[in-house]
Amino acid sequence: MTSACSLHSLQYLGAGGSASSIAGDASTGGDVNATGGDPNATGGDSNGGVSATAGGGVDAAGGVPDAAGAAGAGAEAAKCSDQEKDGEETDVDCGGRSCAPCGAGNACTMGTDCQSAICTNVECQAPSCTDLALNGSETDLNCGGSCPACDQGKHCSKDADCSTGNCKAGICESRSCVDGVLVAGCPLLVDNTPYSLSPAKGMTNCIDDEKDSVADGNAVLLHACQDALRQTFWAVARTDGYFALRNALSGKCLHVRGASTAGGAVIEQATCSFAFDQLWKPSLVNSSLMALTSHFSGLSLNVAGDSAGKDGQAIVQGQVDNSADTQWRVSRRSVASYVTFSPAGELGVRIQHSAEVVTLASDDLTNAQWIVVPGLNDASLVSFQSRNDPGRYLRHAHFSLWSDTNDGTATFKLDATFRYDQPFVGSSTLAKALESVNFPGRYWNRTGTTISLTPFADTADYKTSATWQLSGR
């Protein structure tokens, strides 16, 4: 077994995307690299990760000269069936980005070199039911397949994957409970499930993240129900029957402004912390309605001014009683729960993945749909989880976009965290630029059918190719 690096590997390390360095193996939680500094554990500082300058002398055009100035020729191309270790392979005919991932016991430099996504001490590990990655036959992290059955709300592919014995639409659910019918003893909300929320007094109106805002502190309001990401909230189960409600567009959670205990305090979206002021307990009202009570204040989710039928009315916390504006129809969403990304002006083309490879294509299938989650490195930002392969996230490596299995390392979390920025062209509220958190100033940029992370250029072509239109699915 060898731990030597090819020139390509050194370039990859210099380009900073995801490779573990010899000095600090990211796959075992070490520093990203010797010069780049230890990434900020909370991710609060967008400049706290590896900078393009500190990360190995990356020039503005994306070239990667190494510290000794040896740049240019590049490595020999990998030959994935010649029974030799060549090119960027980390072991014979496997590893790197050109060949298939390696099996357990083969050499590796990062999780992406391994079938299990776990590279420890430069050796690929076998999948296990206790590791940091969704791998092997698992259907969710460390459960399903050959691992213990998954709890309710976890992903599944068949009934046997679930402790409840009921896999419905890819999610483990209770066998005895019927979707949409609220019955004592059955869960009123299901973990990892998208919903819309309408007050009993005005069921054609839904809680709405007004104007497709992704900002902290944006107050939610009532608007006419429609199939929109901003009106979709994912239930995230916590302890003692409480749930956070995470918006499908912003990745932020419903929150009581100022963590107030006062009646009339405004409900807004805020970075998900899962503190008590972001947690709500559902309770049964009747077969179609529930109340939602704040863990922090004990007050109910409420419509301001008893005006549930009024468009634009504020949502607040209020009295606990049987009034219709404190009772909610919480409906499972079958649309507008997942996001797709299209180049500006080309809505028929979307970012999709086949295993780890990310391309642009016209297919509108689940492999082109993503769940917006709080940023893996910084919860105030965003990460994008695959719908059809929930262990995978969009991340950058070698300044290209990939769909890789989360190996739980600090490096992966940095690479998979992005910032929504204002679009470079157009005025659509669902048009965004996507900026790297650990390489500030680099944005997703269309290059043919692939997506690269390139430095901002003040040209019309760049601005168009680095603007993305988000759509709900």
Side-chain angles (χ1 to χ4, degrees), residues 58 217 360 425:
V58 182
L360 285 167
V425 297

Side-chain angles (χ1 to χ4, degrees), residues 193-197 206-207 224-233 330-338:
T193 301
Y195 296 95
S196 63
L197 293 87
C206 289
I207 292 183
C225 294
Q226 55 186 285
D227 295 338
L229 290 162
R230 66 177 185 270
Q231 291 187 358
T232 301
F233 296 87
V330 181
S331 304
R332 182 174 299 206
R333 274 275 163 113
S334 59
V335 293
S337 304
Y338 305 89

Side-chain angles (χ1 to χ4, degrees), residues 251-450:
K252 299 182 186 297
C253 290
L254 290 186
H255 157 93
V256 182
R257 179 171 289 173
S260 175
T261 58
V266 169
I267 306 302
E268 63 186 13
Q269 67 173 7
T271 296
C272 293
S273 65
F274 305 113
F276 283 179
D277 56 299
Q278 293 187 354
L279 300 185
W280 306 87
K281 176 171 276 189
S283 57
L284 185 67
V285 174
N286 58 42
S287 63
S288 62
L289 299 173
M290 69 177 73
L292 292 159
T293 305
S294 168
H295 197 327
F296 191 70
S297 67
L299 298 177
S300 293
L301 193 68
N302 188 283
V303 182
D306 194 25
S307 300
K310 183 179 178 181
D311 189 61
Q313 196 69 3
I315 306 300
V316 298
Q317 65 178 2
Q319 74 276 14
V320 179
D321 58 23
N322 293 322
S323 62
D325 59 334
T326 65
Q327 299 174 11
W328 297 87
R329 181 181 63 189
V330 181
S331 304
R332 182 174 299 206
R333 274 275 163 113
S334 59
V335 293
S337 304
Y338 305 89
V339 66
T340 63
F341 301 96
S342 300
E346 296 187 59
L347 293 181
V349 178
R350 286 163 284 275
I351 291 177
Q352 65 159 23
H353 77 101
S354 176
E356 73 277 8
V357 177
V358 170
T359 57
L360 285 167
S362 58
D363 290 341
D364 193 11
L365 304 174
T366 56
N367 67 336
Q369 300 172 20
W370 309 87
I371 304 173
V372 180
V373 299
L376 298 182
N377 178 69
D378 179 346
S380 69
L381 306 178
V382 285
S383 294
F384 304 107
Q385 181 183 15
S386 168
R387 177 179 183 177
N388 73 322
D389 197 346
R392 294 186 181 274
Y393 293 78
L394 288 175
R395 62 87 64 93
H396 72 85
H398 205 25
F399 298 130
S400 292
L401 202 62
W402 303 84
S403 175
D404 284 336
T405 300
N406 183 4
D407 61 7
T409 62
T411 301
F412 188 99
K413 292 174 183 178
L414 279 163
D415 293 345
T417 300
F418 301 96
R419 177 180 289 103
Y420 283 136
D421 282 340
Q422 292 301 308
F424 296 122
V425 297
S427 58
S428 168
T429 57
L430 283 175
K432 305 291 178 187
L434 281 300
E435 183 182 17
S436 167
V437 65
N438 53 344
F439 288 88
R442 283 183 176 262
Y443 297 87
W444 294 11
N445 183 16
R446 176 182 184 170
T447 307
T449 60
T450 62

Side-chain angles (χ1 to χ4, degrees), residues 176-255:
S176 60
C177 300
V178 179
D179 183 32
V181 178
L182 307 185
V183 178
C186 289
L188 303 184
L189 296 175
V190 177
D191 185 29
N192 196 39
T193 301
Y195 296 95
S196 63
L197 293 87
S198 300
K201 204 169 184 179
M203 288 191 180
T204 60
N205 284 336
C206 289
I207 292 183
D208 189 303
D209 171 15
E210 190 184 28
K211 298 179 181 177
D212 296 307
S213 173
V214 296
D216 273 22
N218 183 66
V220 293
L221 306 173
L222 281 182
H223 283 302
C225 294
Q226 55 186 285
D227 295 338
L229 290 162
R230 66 177 185 270
Q231 291 187 358
T232 301
F233 296 87
W234 286 81
V236 182
R238 308 307 287 176
T239 58
D240 300 326
Y242 285 91
F243 288 81
L245 295 168
R246 189 188 74 229
N247 186 262
L249 172 63
S250 67
K252 299 182 186 297
C253 290
L254 290 186
H255 157 93

Side-chain angles (χ1 to χ4, degrees), residues 101-117:
C102 298
N106 291 125
C108 55
T109 60
M110 67 200 81
T112 52
D113 295 323
C114 304
Q115 294 172 3
S116 67

